[in-house]
Amino acid sequence: MGRGSSGPSTGTPAPRGSMRQRLDRLVREAVKFGAVGGAGLLVNLLVFNLVRQVTDLQVVRASVIATVVAIVFNYLGFRYFTYRDREKSGRTKEMSLFLLFSAVGLVIENGLLYAATYGFGWDSPLQSNIFKFLGIGVATLFRFWSYRTWVFRALPGAAAVVAAAPAGPVAQGGHGPAGPPSHQRVP
């Protein structure tokens, strides 16, 4: 081992550590998203069944009303719980993107219900709830991806802090594994 050497290279644990941190953050985000989404699912199904019971609206119209109520509920949950640490500037853009991607999710969710109801004639209350639930599931996958990618974006500083974390001798002196130049004293 020469002067300035710190022994065997320990460069591989740093990427695993940062990969582990990113995975942990993704899991926490998915759990929070799931909590808000689960509550939104209940709101959606409760409003759907309530509207079907007290009105004479057709199945898909009742479903669209329930989906819109759930979208408002979910926005509040996502903004103030799941993604409260995300960038808060540009709320108009955020709300516009949220509504755009929510509308796509609404079409996915209710398109499946429409196909089951009017395409196959499956329109009993049980069948409607099953296909409403399946539509919500498919739309949720799209929403999770689109919300985290486009709507509630991570703060640019958070990614830079992780990327700038010291990872060995290069971060200490900027001179690579050979150590500092000979004019510097090594403790």
Side-chain angles (χ1 to χ4, degrees):
M1 292 199 180
R3 184 171 186 242
S5 175
S6 60
S9 174
T10 58
T12 53
R16 279 191 221 142
S18 65
M19 180 65 134
R20 175 64 185 212
Q21 288 173 344
R22 290 193 331 212
L23 182 61
D24 287 346
R25 279 194 307 266
L26 180 63
V27 167
R28 282 192 303 274
E29 179 183 338
V31 167
K32 287 180 176 181
F33 187 91
V36 172
L41 170 72
L42 291 176
V43 167
N44 198 332
L45 291 174
L46 287 171
V47 171
F48 173 64
N49 285 292
L50 181 66
V51 169
R52 292 216 44 216
Q53 290 294 320
V54 300
T55 70
D56 291 330
L57 287 177
Q58 295 172 343
V59 174
V60 176
R61 288 184 183 169
S63 180
V64 169
I65 290 169
T67 303
V68 169
V69 171
I71 286 171
V72 171
F73 176 87
N74 287 346
Y75 177 78
L76 295 173
F78 292 141
R79 168 43 52 212
Y80 297 107
F81 177 66
T82 304
Y83 299 113
R84 70 174 172 247
D85 62 332
R86 300 289 175 97
E87 187 176 336
K88 291 179 177 70
S89 63
R91 286 283 173 98
T92 303
K93 180 181 177 185
E94 174 186 281
M95 181 67 88
S96 299
L97 288 172
F98 183 84
L99 290 174
L100 172 71
F101 292 121
S102 293
V104 172
L106 181 142
V107 170
I108 292 169
E109 175 183 329
N110 292 293
L112 194 89
L113 180 61
Y114 181 90
T117 302
Y118 301 109
F120 295 100
W122 298 329
D123 61 352
S124 73
L126 177 61
Q127 290 168 329
S128 294
N129 277 288
I130 288 171
F131 286 100
K132 172 95 171 137
F133 183 80
L134 289 174
I136 291 170
V138 173
T140 296
L141 295 174
F142 169 77
R143 288 176 177 135
F144 179 71
W145 169 80
S146 63
Y147 293 166
R148 76 179 311 270
T149 304
W150 299 102
V151 181
F152 302 107
R153 299 178 63 134
L155 292 171
V161 168
V162 171
V170 173
Q172 292 172 355
H175 302 290
S182 60
H183 66 274
Q184 291 184 347
R185 293 173 35 101
V186 178

